[in-house]
Amino acid sequence: AVGPPDCTLPWDQQPRQPLERRCGDDEGRRRWQRYSSLFSREYQALIHPRFAVRDIARIERMLAGGGEQFDMWGPFRLDAPYCRLQFYSFRESSLNELMPFLENLQLSVSDEVDFTLVVEGRKVFIKSFALRSGVKGESSLAALRTPLLDALSALRGGALENDHLNMLLLPTGLTWRQIDVFRGYRNYYFQLGSPFTKKRMAFALINNPQIALLLYRYFEARFRPEPRWSDPMTREEEVLS
């Protein structure tokens, strides 16, 4: 775990100890020396040093060839709970590029700030959004941090189709690969010929998330590889009955 920085120090000195605890003395010192002078006054005014440590980790991953990165911080509370979504890229982008993804994940943006750093001669662009869930009464965004970040990375990388079925993630907690099961069945159904639109079929599930979750659990129980359920009758009795 990364402990809090010493708040008695100047801002640019505060990330050093957390970096050393996170990465080891030598690597932490190297990262602090690399980044201590790179963060603008605006960044220092808006971002706590302990979150700068997380920004540094994502930027380092990107520099190591990891491609564009996402991170999520929070939850924070003002008038309503929210999280901050961080997006890191070597290419400058606009909110319009990400909004279609966020909308189909039932996420709303209440503010945005942008930062630019030059690390080893390369420009790094950071977009930071305040995110709120569009689904009431469900798990907090922070509880779904991993599946949300995985889905965003898959959407950005083109591995995941951006459609209404992604709205299932927040109310069900399913991962994007699990939601893809419904997409596969939907596509097979349309190949056979369907009188319904894809949107109508998607919203039949979205408006009934618990039923969607039960359907996925049934699919998982029916097809998940499990040696002790190799006999169909045993699987039927233990899992499906």
Short mmCIF file of all heavy atoms in Angstrom, two decimals, residues 50-81:
data_model
loop_
_atom_site.label_atom_id
_atom_site.label_comp_id
_atom_site.label_asym_id
_atom_site.label_seq_id
_atom_site.Cartn_x
_atom_site.Cartn_y
_atom_site.Cartn_z
N ARG A 50 -0.85 12.44 -3.73
CA ARG A 50 -0.99 10.97 -3.73
C ARG A 50 -1.64 10.47 -5.01
O ARG A 50 -1.40 9.33 -5.43
CB ARG A 50 -1.79 10.50 -2.51
CG ARG A 50 -3.25 10.87 -2.47
CD ARG A 50 -3.82 10.50 -1.10
NE ARG A 50 -5.20 10.93 -0.93
CZ ARG A 50 -6.25 10.14 -1.09
NH1 ARG A 50 -6.07 8.89 -1.46
NH2 ARG A 50 -7.47 10.59 -0.90
N PHE A 51 -2.45 11.32 -5.67
CA PHE A 51 -3.00 10.93 -6.96
C PHE A 51 -1.99 11.17 -8.08
O PHE A 51 -2.04 10.49 -9.11
CB PHE A 51 -4.31 11.68 -7.24
CG PHE A 51 -5.44 11.23 -6.35
CD1 PHE A 51 -6.00 12.09 -5.43
CD2 PHE A 51 -5.92 9.93 -6.43
CE1 PHE A 51 -7.04 11.66 -4.60
CE2 PHE A 51 -6.95 9.50 -5.62
CZ PHE A 51 -7.51 10.37 -4.69
N ALA A 52 -1.08 12.10 -7.88
CA ALA A 52 0.01 12.27 -8.85
C ALA A 52 0.84 11.00 -8.95
O ALA A 52 1.31 10.63 -10.03
CB ALA A 52 0.90 13.45 -8.45
N VAL A 53 1.00 10.30 -7.84
CA VAL A 53 1.73 9.03 -7.84
C VAL A 53 1.04 8.02 -8.76
O VAL A 53 1.69 7.28 -9.51
CB VAL A 53 1.83 8.47 -6.40
CG1 VAL A 53 2.41 7.06 -6.41
CG2 VAL A 53 2.68 9.39 -5.53
N ARG A 54 -0.29 8.02 -8.74
CA ARG A 54 -1.04 7.11 -9.62
C ARG A 54 -0.93 7.55 -11.08
O ARG A 54 -0.83 6.70 -11.98
CB ARG A 54 -2.50 7.03 -9.16
CG ARG A 54 -2.63 6.34 -7.82
CD ARG A 54 -4.04 6.29 -7.30
NE ARG A 54 -4.94 5.56 -8.18
CZ ARG A 54 -6.18 5.21 -7.83
NH1 ARG A 54 -6.62 5.50 -6.61
NH2 ARG A 54 -6.96 4.56 -8.67
N ASP A 55 -0.96 8.86 -11.32
CA ASP A 55 -0.75 9.34 -12.68
C ASP A 55 0.61 8.90 -13.21
O ASP A 55 0.74 8.45 -14.35
CB ASP A 55 -0.85 10.87 -12.73
CG ASP A 55 -2.28 11.38 -12.85
OD1 ASP A 55 -3.18 10.57 -13.16
OD2 ASP A 55 -2.50 12.59 -12.64
N ILE A 56 1.62 9.03 -12.38
CA ILE A 56 2.97 8.65 -12.78
C ILE A 56 3.02 7.16 -13.14
O ILE A 56 3.63 6.77 -14.15
CB ILE A 56 3.98 8.98 -11.67
CG1 ILE A 56 4.16 10.51 -11.56
CG2 ILE A 56 5.34 8.31 -11.93
CD1 ILE A 56 4.94 10.95 -10.33
N ALA A 57 2.36 6.32 -12.35
CA ALA A 57 2.36 4.88 -12.62
C ALA A 57 1.74 4.57 -13.97
O ALA A 57 2.25 3.74 -14.74
CB ALA A 57 1.62 4.14 -11.51
N ARG A 58 0.63 5.26 -14.30
CA ARG A 58 -0.02 5.01 -15.59
C ARG A 58 0.83 5.53 -16.75
O ARG A 58 0.91 4.90 -17.81
CB ARG A 58 -1.40 5.68 -15.60
CG ARG A 58 -2.40 5.04 -14.66
CD ARG A 58 -2.80 3.67 -15.14
NE ARG A 58 -3.73 3.02 -14.23
CZ ARG A 58 -4.37 1.89 -14.47
NH1 ARG A 58 -4.17 1.26 -15.62
NH2 ARG A 58 -5.19 1.37 -13.58
N ILE A 59 1.46 6.68 -16.57
CA ILE A 59 2.30 7.23 -17.62
C ILE A 59 3.50 6.31 -17.87
O ILE A 59 3.88 6.05 -19.02
CB ILE A 59 2.77 8.65 -17.26
CG1 ILE A 59 1.57 9.61 -17.22
CG2 ILE A 59 3.80 9.15 -18.27
CD1 ILE A 59 1.88 10.97 -16.63
N GLU A 60 4.09 5.79 -16.79
CA GLU A 60 5.21 4.87 -16.93
C GLU A 60 4.79 3.61 -17.69
O GLU A 60 5.53 3.09 -18.52
CB GLU A 60 5.75 4.50 -15.54
CG GLU A 60 6.56 5.59 -14.89
CD GLU A 60 7.91 5.80 -15.57
OE1 GLU A 60 8.71 4.85 -15.63
OE2 GLU A 60 8.15 6.92 -16.06
N ARG A 61 3.59 3.12 -17.40
CA ARG A 61 3.09 1.95 -18.12
C ARG A 61 2.93 2.25 -19.61
O ARG A 61 3.23 1.42 -20.46
CB ARG A 61 1.76 1.51 -17.51
CG ARG A 61 1.26 0.17 -18.04
CD ARG A 61 -0.02 -0.25 -17.35
NE ARG A 61 0.16 -0.42 -15.92
CZ ARG A 61 -0.81 -0.75 -15.08
NH1 ARG A 61 -2.04 -0.94 -15.54
NH2 ARG A 61 -0.56 -0.90 -13.80
N MET A 62 2.47 3.47 -19.90
CA MET A 62 2.30 3.86 -21.30
C MET A 62 3.66 3.99 -21.99
O MET A 62 3.83 3.54 -23.13
CB MET A 62 1.52 5.18 -21.35
CG MET A 62 0.85 5.45 -22.67
SD MET A 62 -0.39 6.75 -22.57
CE MET A 62 0.56 8.16 -22.04
N LEU A 63 4.64 4.58 -21.31
CA LEU A 63 5.97 4.74 -21.88
C LEU A 63 6.63 3.38 -22.13
O LEU A 63 7.46 3.24 -23.04
CB LEU A 63 6.85 5.57 -20.93
CG LEU A 63 6.53 7.06 -20.84
CD1 LEU A 63 7.29 7.70 -19.68
CD2 LEU A 63 6.86 7.78 -22.15
N ALA A 64 6.24 2.38 -21.33
CA ALA A 64 6.81 1.04 -21.48
C ALA A 64 6.14 0.25 -22.60
O ALA A 64 6.45 -0.92 -22.79
CB ALA A 64 6.71 0.28 -20.17
N GLY A 65 5.23 0.91 -23.33
CA GLY A 65 4.59 0.25 -24.46
C GLY A 65 3.21 -0.29 -24.18
O GLY A 65 2.67 -1.07 -24.97
N GLY A 66 2.62 0.15 -23.06
CA GLY A 66 1.30 -0.37 -22.69
C GLY A 66 0.13 0.27 -23.39
O GLY A 66 -1.01 -0.12 -23.16
N GLY A 67 0.38 1.26 -24.25
CA GLY A 67 -0.72 1.91 -24.96
C GLY A 67 -1.49 2.86 -24.07
O GLY A 67 -1.11 3.13 -22.92
N GLU A 68 -2.60 3.40 -24.59
CA GLU A 68 -3.42 4.33 -23.84
C GLU A 68 -3.92 3.67 -22.55
O GLU A 68 -4.15 2.47 -22.51
CB GLU A 68 -4.61 4.80 -24.68
CG GLU A 68 -4.18 5.65 -25.88
CD GLU A 68 -5.35 6.08 -26.74
OE1 GLU A 68 -6.37 5.36 -26.77
OE2 GLU A 68 -5.25 7.14 -27.38
N GLN A 69 -4.07 4.50 -21.52
CA GLN A 69 -4.42 3.99 -20.20
C GLN A 69 -5.64 4.72 -19.64
O GLN A 69 -5.89 5.89 -19.96
CB GLN A 69 -3.25 4.21 -19.22
CG GLN A 69 -1.96 3.51 -19.60
CD GLN A 69 -2.02 2.03 -19.37
OE1 GLN A 69 -2.45 1.56 -18.32
NE2 GLN A 69 -1.60 1.26 -20.37
N PHE A 70 -6.39 4.00 -18.79
CA PHE A 70 -7.46 4.59 -18.01
C PHE A 70 -7.20 4.29 -16.53
O PHE A 70 -6.61 3.27 -16.18
CB PHE A 70 -8.82 3.98 -18.38
CG PHE A 70 -9.36 4.40 -19.71
CD1 PHE A 70 -9.13 3.63 -20.84
CD2 PHE A 70 -10.12 5.56 -19.84
CE1 PHE A 70 -9.65 4.01 -22.08
CE2 PHE A 70 -10.63 5.95 -21.07
CZ PHE A 70 -10.40 5.17 -22.19
N ASP A 71 -7.68 5.20 -15.67
CA ASP A 71 -7.68 4.94 -14.24
C ASP A 71 -8.92 5.60 -13.65
O ASP A 71 -9.52 6.49 -14.28
CB ASP A 71 -6.42 5.49 -13.58
CG ASP A 71 -6.17 4.90 -12.18
OD1 ASP A 71 -6.93 4.00 -11.77
OD2 ASP A 71 -5.23 5.35 -11.51
N MET A 72 -9.32 5.16 -12.46
CA MET A 72 -10.48 5.75 -11.80
C MET A 72 -10.14 5.98 -10.33
O MET A 72 -9.59 5.10 -9.66
CB MET A 72 -11.71 4.84 -11.92
CG MET A 72 -12.98 5.47 -11.36
SD MET A 72 -14.41 4.38 -11.50
CE MET A 72 -14.63 4.38 -13.28
N TRP A 73 -10.46 7.18 -9.86
CA TRP A 73 -10.21 7.55 -8.47
C TRP A 73 -11.54 7.77 -7.76
O TRP A 73 -12.52 8.17 -8.36
CB TRP A 73 -9.43 8.85 -8.39
CG TRP A 73 -8.14 8.90 -9.13
CD1 TRP A 73 -7.38 7.85 -9.60
CD2 TRP A 73 -7.42 10.08 -9.51
NE1 TRP A 73 -6.27 8.31 -10.23
CE2 TRP A 73 -6.25 9.68 -10.19
CE3 TRP A 73 -7.64 11.44 -9.31
CZ2 TRP A 73 -5.32 10.59 -10.68
CZ3 TRP A 73 -6.72 12.36 -9.81
CH2 TRP A 73 -5.57 11.93 -10.48
N GLY A 74 -11.52 7.57 -6.46
CA GLY A 74 -12.71 7.89 -5.68
C GLY A 74 -13.30 6.64 -5.03
O GLY A 74 -12.67 5.59 -4.98
N PRO A 75 -14.51 6.78 -4.48
CA PRO A 75 -15.45 7.88 -4.70
C PRO A 75 -15.15 9.11 -3.86
O PRO A 75 -14.55 9.02 -2.80
CB PRO A 75 -16.79 7.26 -4.28
CG PRO A 75 -16.41 6.28 -3.21
CD PRO A 75 -15.08 5.71 -3.63
N PHE A 76 -15.59 10.25 -4.37
CA PHE A 76 -15.55 11.53 -3.67
C PHE A 76 -16.99 11.98 -3.44
O PHE A 76 -17.91 11.52 -4.10
CB PHE A 76 -14.81 12.58 -4.50
CG PHE A 76 -13.44 12.13 -4.94
CD1 PHE A 76 -13.22 11.67 -6.23
CD2 PHE A 76 -12.36 12.16 -4.07
CE1 PHE A 76 -11.96 11.25 -6.65
CE2 PHE A 76 -11.10 11.75 -4.47
CZ PHE A 76 -10.90 11.29 -5.77
N ARG A 77 -17.17 12.90 -2.52
CA ARG A 77 -18.53 13.37 -2.24
C ARG A 77 -18.59 14.89 -2.21
O ARG A 77 -17.79 15.54 -1.56
CB ARG A 77 -19.02 12.84 -0.89
CG ARG A 77 -19.36 11.37 -0.90
CD ARG A 77 -20.05 10.92 0.38
NE ARG A 77 -20.47 9.54 0.29
CZ ARG A 77 -21.62 9.15 -0.22
NH1 ARG A 77 -22.48 10.06 -0.67
NH2 ARG A 77 -21.94 7.87 -0.27
N LEU A 78 -19.53 15.42 -2.94
CA LEU A 78 -19.93 16.82 -2.81
C LEU A 78 -21.43 16.78 -2.56
O LEU A 78 -21.87 16.34 -1.52
CB LEU A 78 -19.56 17.61 -4.07
CG LEU A 78 -18.06 17.91 -4.25
CD1 LEU A 78 -17.81 18.60 -5.58
CD2 LEU A 78 -17.54 18.78 -3.12
N ASP A 79 -22.24 17.24 -3.52
CA ASP A 79 -23.68 17.10 -3.38
C ASP A 79 -24.12 15.68 -3.68
O ASP A 79 -25.17 15.22 -3.23
CB ASP A 79 -24.40 18.09 -4.30
CG ASP A 79 -23.96 17.95 -5.76
OD1 ASP A 79 -22.80 17.57 -5.98
OD2 ASP A 79 -24.77 18.23 -6.65
N ALA A 80 -23.32 14.93 -4.46
CA ALA A 80 -23.62 13.54 -4.79
C ALA A 80 -22.29 12.82 -5.03
O ALA A 80 -21.32 13.44 -5.45
CB ALA A 80 -24.51 13.47 -6.03
N PRO A 81 -22.24 11.50 -4.77
CA PRO A 81 -20.98 10.77 -4.97
C PRO A 81 -20.54 10.80 -6.44
O PRO A 81 -21.37 10.75 -7.34
CB PRO A 81 -21.33 9.35 -4.55
CG PRO A 81 -22.60 9.43 -3.80
CD PRO A 81 -23.31 10.64 -4.29
#
